[in-house]
Amino acid sequence: MNFTRQQQFGIGLTLVALMAVTRGHHFASIEYLPSASWAVFFLAGFYLRRAWVFAVLLLEATLLDLAAVTLGGVSSFCVTPAYAFLLPAYGALWLAGRWFAQRCELHWRALPPFAISLLAGATACELFSSGGFYFFGGRYPDPTLAEFGARLVQYFPPMLQSFGFWIGVAAIAHLAFAFAGGTARRRA
């Protein structure tokens, strides 16, 4: 799918704003919206694909977290050397979005690659981010695979729920724009 520069700029600004207003307990503090960070990286990989956009979004996430800890009074418990694991975690989502972009079409047969890209990207992201924090963050003196598995069962489903919510919103918007713009073709 090809987008004009203007469309890409609009999508990019929307993704930057979405992360800014939903990422944890930051300046915007919208309490009832789940974090869109995972979806932002997947969608940027899908729509924008340029490596510098990934770097800008990673910088934004880091600055938002830094501001939350230094200015917003948010606990620094999660800020450990394992914070660096967010690079491969978000990179997995970015690459999953890129992978799906090469297979995307407005047809039912695109649903399996869509589901595969979402699940693979989210799973890799969770393993890098939570696994990195649990095993390398220094907060748990004797980490075990069994305890990590229990933590995955506890924390991964809510993250999938947030991810799914924002991907669903994006999919509805994508389809609405595609059909409104006349770019969608109906196939039997």
Side-chain angles (χ1 to χ4, degrees):
M1 304 189 95
N2 293 323
F3 298 95
T4 66
R5 283 184 177 257
Q6 185 178 10
Q7 289 169 323
Q8 288 184 339
F9 185 74
I11 291 168
L13 282 180
T14 300
L15 293 177
V16 165
L18 186 61
M19 185 160 36
V21 299
T22 66
R23 188 171 174 88
H25 299 89
H26 299 97
F27 69 90
S29 187
I30 296 178
E31 296 187 27
Y32 298 108
L33 291 177
S35 174
S37 296
W38 284 21
V40 164
F41 281 96
F42 179 89
L43 295 168
F46 177 80
Y47 287 112
L48 306 175
R49 297 181 221 127
R50 300 209 185 254
W52 67 266
V53 175
F54 175 77
V56 166
L57 290 172
L58 197 58
L59 178 63
E60 177 192 15
T62 303
L63 291 175
L64 286 169
D65 291 346
L66 181 64
V69 170
T70 58
L71 304 172
V74 173
S75 169
S76 64
F77 181 78
C78 292
V79 181
T80 69
Y83 190 85
F85 278 87
L86 289 182
L87 175 64
Y90 291 151
L93 290 166
W94 174 273
L95 290 173
R98 287 186 64 150
W99 181 85
F100 178 64
Q102 297 169 357
R103 289 150 184 82
C104 181
E105 59 180 307
L106 290 175
H107 195 277
W108 292 108
R109 69 176 157 253
L111 288 178
F114 183 53
I116 289 167
S117 66
L118 293 174
L119 189 56
T123 301
C125 181
E126 179 67 15
L127 290 173
F128 277 119
S129 62
S130 291
F133 178 72
Y134 180 69
F135 288 106
F136 303 105
R139 301 289 190 212
Y140 304 97
D142 297 312
T144 66
L145 284 176
E147 186 177 342
F148 178 62
R151 289 178 177 280
L152 277 178
V153 169
Q154 180 180 1
Y155 294 112
F156 190 36
M159 294 303 292
L160 276 178
Q161 186 177 14
S162 297
F163 183 53
F165 172 78
W166 289 113
I167 293 297
V169 169
I172 290 168
H174 180 95
L175 291 172
F177 280 108
F179 284 107
T183 58
R185 292 188 317 220
R186 296 179 186 216
R187 297 180 190 176

